[in-house]
Amino acid sequence: MTAARGRTAVPMLQALSWGAESPLGRSGEVDIEALAHGLARSDYPGGRRRQPYTRAQHAVVVSEAVETLAGLRLPERRVLAMHAWLAEVRDAELRDKKRTRVQESNKRLALRTIDLEALADVLARTSRWDNSVAPAAAAVDESLKLLGGLGAEYGRRLSLYALLAETVLAGLGTAVAEAALKAAGLGREAPESWVHILRFVRRMADAAVRRDLQGPTFGEENSFPAIKKRIELLEPDRAAQRWLARYRALITVREKVKI
């Protein structure tokens, strides 16, 4: 098998997981349509149930979630921060000891009687506790606040980073990822705070995959908070078109802002 004319070959170890034509031309430019269709042929791990859940679709889910979370108002933002922090605390507890179904049921009942917005407001004003590895609610709230204050142009760029983040994970190397970033007008590096935001959004997207595509498991309702919008599986061709539409919408309007 030979590479298509004008295209570079996909390195062997990458081709094992990529499984599509290289989107990178010999002159170093990236074919965005080829990239979209390649992502739509790359399955997101653990997302299968009725049909494949592709990295193209997952990239759109994460990218759109960036915009959604940026629009959260203060009460919603702080409740989300609290839920994320409680999920970290619960995961730490489960690592230390097993909880029975009765104990989990009692905890859920207790949470229903709490004024969540009031509790969230308190936690969001609290700094990190005991130098814990898991961030306190205040740290999560600060990231969400930063996201909401980025503005239209920086928010657009962060959404583009989210859309292109699956490129390396799908099996292509950094050369293709950097070419795609360049084509989108993005730099190789971004502020560390943006990385923290994207990691948080991706965790919420991963939680949505577990909720919608893997089926419920014991204690799943108390796991890391998921994106509210439910995931409906798309055929690969539709996933590719959805990815392309999202990409084109994000690069249509640009302002002269450098990162």
Side-chain angles (χ1 to χ4, degrees), residues 13 58-60 68 76 89 94 113 140 184-185 202 213 245 252 255:
L13 295 180
H58 192 66
V60 174
T68 300
E76 296 175 299
V89 172
L94 290 177
T113 65
V140 179
R202 288 179 66 85
L213 305 182
T252 298
E255 298 176 13

Side-chain angles (χ1 to χ4, degrees), residues 13-14 17-18 35 39 42 55 161-181 202:
L13 295 180
Q14 296 168 9
S17 53
W18 177 244
L35 177 60
L39 289 172
S42 176
R55 288 195 180 276
Y161 275 116
L163 190 69
L164 295 170
E166 296 292 330
T167 302
V168 174
L169 299 176
L172 288 174
T174 55
V176 176
E178 290 176 5
L181 291 174
R202 288 179 66 85

Side-chain angles (χ1 to χ4, degrees), residues 131-169:
N131 295 319
S132 173
V133 175
V140 179
D141 181 67
E142 188 63 28
S143 290
L144 293 172
K145 180 181 178 181
L146 175 63
L147 173 59
L150 284 179
E153 173 58 18
Y154 286 125
R156 179 190 69 81
R157 286 172 172 255
L158 187 55
S159 294
L160 263 174
Y161 275 116
L163 190 69
L164 295 170
E166 296 292 330
T167 302
V168 174
L169 299 176

